[in-house]
Amino acid sequence: MEAPQHEVGMVFGVFDGFHQGHQHFLTQSAAYCQKLVVVVARPEIVLALKKRFPRHTLEERIDHIRTHNPTWEVIPGDEKIGTWSALKKYQPGIVLLGHDQETLGQELDKLHILHTVITAFHPDKYKSSLLHKSPQ
């Protein structure tokens, strides 16, 4: 495999019920950068975006990711939508998006932030809303 192209890469997500789809997304994202920063959405943001609270606490969701790969920097997201404090602090060379994060991609376009979409890993099987029988 070639050396990562970017010093810092970043991903955003809820990561509720950490499953193989999440693991694939994060592992593939990490290949783009030397340092991966994982921004985990706070419950109030999940409620605003998905009209429901996550099943797991913020701390549990962060711990699942850290346990999977302790080299990734895992941080809580902003308390208010559109603040982008993680982008400002870390200034990633690239943001990696999941296959279903089109709206986030549109926001990153407005901010002129380089981003790319990571191919889904069996999205018909490993998607939180399917695994937990909840609406998207």
Side-chain angles (χ1 to χ4, degrees):
M1 175 177 251
E2 294 180 28
Q5 299 176 17
H6 304 278
E7 184 176 337
V8 178
M10 184 172 285
V11 298
F12 293 86
V14 179
F15 305 105
D16 199 21
F18 195 63
H19 54 70
Q20 286 182 312
H22 293 138
Q23 294 168 21
H24 171 81
F25 169 63
L26 293 172
T27 300
Q28 293 299 310
S29 295
Y32 281 79
C33 52
Q34 296 169 26
K35 174 182 180 175
L36 181 64
V37 179
V38 182
V39 183
V40 181
R42 293 179 183 270
E44 57 271 24
I45 299 299
V46 178
L47 179 62
L49 295 175
K50 297 190 175 205
K51 311 298 184 234
R52 64 171 175 78
F53 281 109
R55 295 173 58 246
H56 298 275
T57 68
L58 177 63
E59 295 77 17
E60 289 170 332
R61 292 180 285 128
I62 288 173
D63 286 345
H64 289 145
I65 298 166
R66 285 184 177 150
T67 298
H68 180 72
N69 189 319
T71 67
W72 298 333
E73 185 160 349
V74 186
I75 62 170
D78 292 322
E79 294 180 10
K80 182 179 175 192
I81 293 174
T83 306
W84 304 115
S85 62
L87 288 175
K88 293 171 187 170
K89 178 178 179 179
Y90 293 94
Q91 299 184 5
I94 191 166
V95 173
L96 298 309
L97 301 176
H99 66 98
D100 58 353
Q101 292 184 308
E102 300 90 5
T103 303
L104 177 55
Q106 293 167 0
E107 292 300 313
L108 294 172
D109 283 339
K110 292 176 190 173
L111 297 169
H112 306 289
I113 303 284
L114 178 66
H115 57 87
T116 192
V117 176
I118 300 296
T119 304
F121 178 74
H122 300 289
D124 53 332
K125 184 176 181 183
Y126 296 110
K127 183 166 175 62
S128 297
S129 58
L130 294 174
L131 292 171
H132 305 300
K133 307 244 189 279
S134 63
Q136 293 181 0

